[in-house]
Amino acid sequence: MLTNGHLERTVIDWIPGMPPIKLGDMSSFVRTTDPDDFGLRFNEEEANNCTKANALILNTFDELEADVLAALRAEYARIYTIGPLGTLLNHAADAIGGGLSLWKQDTECLAWLDTQQPRSAVYVNFGSLTVMTPERLAEFAWGIAATGCPFLFVVRENLVPGGPAALPPEFVVETDGRRCLATWCSQEQVLRHPAVGCFLTHSGWNSKCESVASGVPMVCWPVFADQYINRKYACESWDVGLRLDEEVRREQVTAQVKQVMESEEMRQDAARWKAKAEQAARLGGSSYKNLQSMVEVIRSFASDSKKAEA
């Protein structure tokens, strides 16, 4: 069994392209002591499959992970960084309607955000897979309420037994008039809304990319998989996030959210990353060029296939 002390004390400093990292910040899939663990074996298999691929397509951009990408490019002939993917594909998504999410979305929250002051609101969303107990949800709820900030709280129907109805009735009454509850939303639109000043997130990669691309600093509470590494980069490499302990305490939730909301330095760092993300995704940027190159290669494959059939 891996104790919290062991996870914090053990430092891994031999991964190419990565800074020294505590075991506790590694993917939960590789922290198991069971050699037959499904997650560990699955990740091992997928990593080995990558070595057989003609190319790797990654939802990131060059400046965001320069050292890691340099190490990967030393091993793989073709790597296409085409992120932030949402930024790059926004126009196409608008053309077909509905955006990239497959979930039913609540658009009323955008109208609610329109009534809030710039950078005044906290956005809370734990992604599409996270689940928690009603007790933990209550700690988050009261912690957010104590900040005094207006907030948009996404509570999926399957986030907790009972869905949004599991929120403490006293919390619902006390925060009336300064909160919006939704079961899902268009996250990119929410993060790009000028009223949003902080994102309380599970630290999934898509959420991290969307937050960086929108210039919104974060409070990070990872649950499993790569979310721990994503948190480390957000908080220590990009300087756009603060950590929450695994055991949720309402007092810490309040303190970390307020610190993010009040930090001009963190807001400036987030704005710089937003500018870099936009530069990568716009016409002539690195991600834009990589997408063009990838399409050209795919077209060449199709052309070669037709010639072979002729």
Side-chain angles (χ1 to χ4, degrees):
M1 180 178 178
L2 298 176
T3 64
N4 287 337
H6 182 71
L7 293 174
E8 288 300 305
R9 289 193 302 269
T10 305
V11 176
I12 299 170
D13 59 3
W14 44 263
I15 303 175
M18 290 187 65
I21 182 171
K22 295 177 182 177
L23 186 58
D25 285 324
M26 292 292 292
S27 168
S28 61
F29 290 146
V30 302
R31 288 195 259 125
T32 178
T33 56
D34 179 5
D36 297 318
D37 181 80
F38 171 79
L40 177 63
R41 296 281 73 87
F42 176 80
N43 277 264
E44 180 182 41
E45 181 179 349
E46 289 305 300
N48 289 333
N49 286 340
C50 286
T51 65
K52 305 171 187 176
N54 290 323
L56 298 182
I57 303 170
L58 305 177
N59 179 20
T60 188
F61 60 98
D62 289 350
E63 284 199 68
L64 190 64
E65 301 178 276
D67 293 341
V68 171
L69 290 169
L72 285 173
R73 284 177 170 132
E75 299 292 331
Y76 299 96
R78 286 178 178 162
I79 290 183
Y80 299 107
T81 51
I82 59 169
L85 190 58
T87 303
L88 205 61
L89 300 182
N90 265 341
H91 293 300
D94 289 341
I96 62 176
L100 302 176
S101 176
L102 299 179
W103 288 69
K104 182 179 179 181
Q105 298 174 9
D106 181 351
T107 56
E108 292 183 5
C109 62
L110 295 172
W112 178 83
L113 285 171
D114 288 340
T115 67
Q116 306 304 314
Q117 295 298 313
R119 296 192 298 272
S120 67
V122 180
Y123 169 51
V124 186
N125 191 335
F126 298 106
S128 58
L129 296 176
T130 300
V131 294
M132 64 178 70
T133 63
E135 292 76 19
R136 183 162 282 175
L137 180 67
E139 287 298 302
F140 275 117
W142 287 118
I144 298 159
T147 66
C149 300
F151 59 93
L152 165 57
F153 199 170
V154 174
V155 182
R156 299 186 335 265
E157 295 291 349
N158 61 343
L159 174 67
V160 62
L167 286 165
E170 301 88 347
F171 161 82
V172 175
V173 172
E174 183 174 314
T175 58
D176 184 40
R178 63 182 178 95
R179 54 105 177 108
C180 177
L181 298 178
T183 54
W184 201 245
C185 68
S186 175
Q187 180 158 284
E188 278 197 276
Q189 287 182 280
V190 166
L191 286 169
R192 291 184 179 278
H193 197 286
V196 175
C198 172
F199 180 19
L200 174 49
T201 172
H202 66 304
S203 301
W205 183 249
N206 287 337
S207 292
K208 279 285 182 284
C209 285
E210 290 162 1
S211 199
V212 166
S214 303
V216 177
M218 296 164 261
V219 173
C220 306
W221 184 70
V223 180
F224 72 106
D226 63 322
Q227 296 165 10
Y228 297 93
I229 295 179
N230 300 342
R231 174 188 62 182
K232 176 181 174 62
Y233 272 86
C235 298
E236 298 178 22
S237 297
W238 309 333
D239 296 322
V240 295
L242 293 178
R243 294 171 175 246
L244 285 178
D245 294 337
E246 182 175 351
E247 187 57 42
V248 181
R249 294 175 288 110
R250 63 186 68 184
E251 296 83 6
Q252 189 189 39
V253 173
T254 302
Q256 299 298 71
V257 169
K258 289 181 72 172
Q259 185 173 338
V260 167
M261 291 292 284
E262 296 168 2
S263 174
E264 184 61 32
E265 182 179 1
M266 192 173 294
R267 186 175 294 124
Q268 290 174 357
D269 286 331
R272 280 194 288 270
W273 280 113
K274 177 183 179 181
K276 292 177 180 180
E278 291 176 344
Q279 175 63 40
R282 70 167 59 112
L283 180 66
S286 59
S287 293
Y288 188 94
K289 289 179 178 178
N290 283 335
L291 182 61
Q292 284 184 313
S293 298
M294 185 186 75
V295 171
E296 290 169 4
V297 169
I298 293 172
R299 283 176 175 169
S300 71
F301 289 159
S303 177
D304 290 345
S305 177
K306 288 180 180 180
K307 289 177 181 178
E309 294 172 357

